[in-house]
Amino acid sequence: MNITVIGTGYVGLVAGACLADMGNNVICVDNNVEKLRQLEAGIIPIYEPGLEELVKSNVLEKRLAFTSDIDYAVKCSEVCFIAVGTPQGEDGSADLQYVFEVAKSIAKSMNGYKVIVDKSTVPVGTAQKVTELIKQNTNFDFDVVSNPEFLKQGNAVDDFLHPDRVIIGSNSDKATKIMQEIYSPFFRTGNRVIVMDVKSAEMTKYAANSFLATKISFMNQIANLCEKIGADAEMVRVGVATDSRIGNKFLFPGLGYGGSCFPKDVKALIKTASEFGYDMSIIRAADEINKKQRTNFIDRIIKRFGNDLTGKTFAVWGLAFKPKTNDMREAPAITIINKLLDMGAKVNAYDPKAQETARFYFKDNINYVESSYEALNGADALLLLTEWNEFRRPDFARIKSTLKQPVIFDGRNQYDKARLEEYGFECYQIGR
């Protein structure tokens, strides 16, 4: 099938490459010409395991192409995916200006029937607005479909190629059949395509992300209570997670959620509800707990070292909001490091993939080092902020001999606290 994907960000690029890998002819559109040149040369602007190889192989096989000419791309395609950004507005709502701009451009370029697919995360009612906008700018037949993505950064390629389900929000039998055809190669051993009305599909995306965000905040609040009453949050987590009704995913206490999806989608759902006079009190609480989780971690550092951190240096392991990505949007590291700097501290920071990304947030205000152990030089404590695999089993004897003081603030509960204390470390964790 001939497909256009408009937007080569995280969602669009993964979608385009994976759809091409299934034999479709895919044109990815972006207005950033330099970015397109890099993509054509196999230079990927984001770190996502497996994506670089997928882009290169499909460009080589001429199934995947890149252009800034949206008119050409639309005319060549039967299905047009909209995968542009929907940044958070000041009031928490999703900013849809790029979605609407693209919809208008698609309408003006149409040369026959098209299926226009909202792949971007958009509030309930967006497909209806897109439909009205396109009607104003074309006389050709079309259908607008909602097809929300459920990709985990760090595992996005595998999630797209082997989805646990695909949601198709459609009010048209014709469009539904086309979308089912697109996704049929992904489900050779079973059918996990769920068809529903458009508004329900739009709501499903926000409901899923907000539920997972709430699950994280719930466990963090339980961990905070465990800490006060002397219970072990890890033992509680295991006891809860083995209940098959609950499961063990998104149930680890830590520094809270970050990234481009959960924070934005939670706020957008709260805003949507308020527009209809409904208070999403549980979701609002999850958002507030998530913010406090970072300040709670900072409070632990202040309690140990005092309010004036002048002359203190902290080694930071991990800057990305999660492992296997260089994305730092809404990362706990931003809040924590900026507060340390405000209090007079110096920071030696290391992340396997997010070093360059971090320069956007911190400029030259922190010391970027080339290895995890280099970060320890002259440091008064180690802060583990992202649970990269390479941080899981470090040389603790080397850490202890390099740090000025044997102090670790483990923001991901990654280490065996009792064992570290036997080694002579002070170890601070969440809920333990």
Side-chain angles (χ1 to χ4, degrees):
M1 191 171 292
N2 296 320
I3 297 171
T4 284
V5 179
I6 302 165
T8 60
Y10 175 78
V11 174
L13 188 56
V14 171
C18 291
L19 289 168
D21 204 53
M22 287 296 157
N24 298 292
N25 298 312
V26 179
I27 302 173
C28 286
V29 180
D30 203 286
N31 58 10
N32 186 329
V33 177
E34 178 57 32
K35 184 180 182 181
L36 293 174
R37 286 200 197 100
Q38 291 181 336
L39 288 169
E40 288 171 344
I43 302 171
I44 310 302
I46 58 175
Y47 175 72
E48 182 63 42
L51 181 58
E52 182 177 343
E53 295 81 359
L54 208 62
V55 170
K56 285 181 177 179
S57 65
N58 283 283
V59 168
L60 185 65
E61 294 295 330
K62 301 188 184 304
R63 290 190 298 263
L64 180 62
F66 299 94
T67 184
S68 60
D69 189 345
I70 191 170
D71 181 73
Y72 162 78
V74 171
K75 283 181 167 58
C76 289
S77 302
E78 184 178 1
V79 179
C80 301
F81 284 80
I82 300 177
V84 295
T86 54
Q88 181 182 310
E90 292 183 4
D91 61 353
S93 61
D95 185 347
L96 298 176
Q97 62 172 315
Y98 305 113
V99 172
F100 294 150
E101 286 175 9
V102 168
K104 190 174 182 180
S105 296
I106 291 172
K108 291 182 176 180
S109 300
M110 285 171 60
N111 57 347
Y113 174 78
K114 308 287 180 184
V115 177
I116 295 95
V117 184
D118 282 339
K119 196 67 176 171
S120 303
T121 300
V122 293
V124 176
T126 300
Q128 184 175 336
K129 294 177 182 177
V130 168
T131 298
E132 293 169 356
L133 181 61
I134 294 175
K135 279 183 178 178
Q136 294 169 11
N137 290 277
T138 189
N139 292 320
F140 289 104
D141 289 337
F142 67 94
D143 286 302
V144 177
V145 170
S146 175
N147 175 221
E149 54 85 16
F150 297 96
L151 307 179
K152 298 185 296 292
Q153 286 182 254
N155 201 56
V157 171
D158 190 62
D159 283 347
F160 200 105
L161 294 175
H162 308 97
D164 55 6
R165 86 286 203 196
V166 169
I167 304 292
I168 297 174
S170 172
N171 299 327
S172 159
D173 290 340
K174 182 178 181 180
T176 299
K177 289 178 181 178
I178 291 172
M179 294 299 294
Q180 288 173 323
E181 182 181 347
I182 289 174
Y183 282 107
S184 60
F186 298 93
F187 295 107
R188 295 183 65 187
T189 58
N191 183 14
R192 296 186 295 277
V193 176
I194 303 170
V195 179
M196 59 183 71
D197 65 275
V198 173
K199 287 187 177 181
S200 295
E202 291 171 331
M203 177 58 81
T204 296
K205 169 66 174 180
Y206 283 102
N209 277 359
S210 295
F211 178 82
L212 295 175
T214 302
K215 197 173 180 182
I216 293 169
S217 288
F218 173 84
M219 192 62 228
N220 276 330
Q221 195 160 54
I222 291 295
N224 293 337
L225 180 58
C226 285
E227 199 167 318
K228 291 182 180 297
I229 66 177
D232 187 331
E234 175 59 15
M235 294 295 97
V236 174
R237 183 194 70 80
V238 172
V240 171
T242 48
D243 187 326
S244 61
R245 298 169 300 174
I246 298 173
N248 60 9
K249 294 182 178 179
F250 295 88
L251 207 63
F252 291 86
L255 298 174
Y257 56 80
S260 62
C261 293
F262 285 8
K264 178 170 68 72
D265 293 354
V266 163
K267 290 180 174 62
L269 184 59
I270 293 169
K271 175 62 178 176
T272 296
S274 70
E275 291 172 354
F276 287 86
Y278 189 73
D279 179 16
M280 298 292 287
S281 55
I282 292 176
I283 309 302
R284 277 195 300 103
D287 184 45
E288 288 301 316
I289 291 165
N290 195 60
K291 294 173 186 174
K292 289 179 182 177
Q293 201 64 14
R294 302 171 190 197
T295 59
N296 288 342
F297 187 77
I298 295 167
D299 288 343
R300 288 176 172 85
I301 299 172
I302 293 172
K303 186 175 180 180
R304 172 59 178 79
F305 288 100
N307 287 294
D308 185 0
L309 299 180
T310 304
K312 300 295 181 185
T313 299
F314 294 93
V316 170
W317 284 5
L319 297 167
F321 86 93
K322 64 177 288 188
K324 298 182 182 180
T325 180
N326 61 348
D327 195 343
M328 283 189 62
R329 285 174 288 183
E330 300 287 341
I334 298 172
T335 305
I336 293 166
I337 290 175
N338 280 333
K339 183 62 176 179
L340 294 176
L341 295 175
D342 289 343
M343 298 175 70
K346 295 180 180 179
V347 172
N348 298 335
Y350 172 73
D351 187 285
K353 296 296 179 182
Q355 299 282 91
E356 288 305 313
T357 308
R359 293 183 186 278
F360 172 81
Y361 294 95
F362 304 120
K363 306 295 187 292
D364 293 325
N365 295 320
I366 64 175
N367 180 32
Y368 304 94
V369 297
E370 297 302 316
S371 73
S372 56
Y373 292 107
E374 185 183 349
L376 304 172
N377 294 330
D380 294 275
L382 166 62
L383 314 183
L384 177 70
L385 304 186
T386 312
E387 64 275 32
W388 286 92
N389 283 342
E390 67 180 77
F391 301 152
R392 289 190 179 276
R393 301 186 68 86
D395 184 340
F396 288 112
R398 184 175 178 182
I399 294 174
K400 186 177 179 182
S401 65
T402 307
L403 287 172
K404 286 183 180 179
Q405 306 175 62
V407 181
I408 296 177
F409 291 88
D410 179 5
R412 299 297 178 178
N413 285 8
Q414 186 163 267
Y415 302 131
D416 185 329
K417 189 173 189 289
R419 187 180 175 198
L420 285 182
E421 288 174 346
E422 288 177 3
Y423 286 162
F425 282 95
E426 292 178 51
C427 183
Y428 301 89
Q429 296 183 314
I430 312 298
R432 307 186 77 183

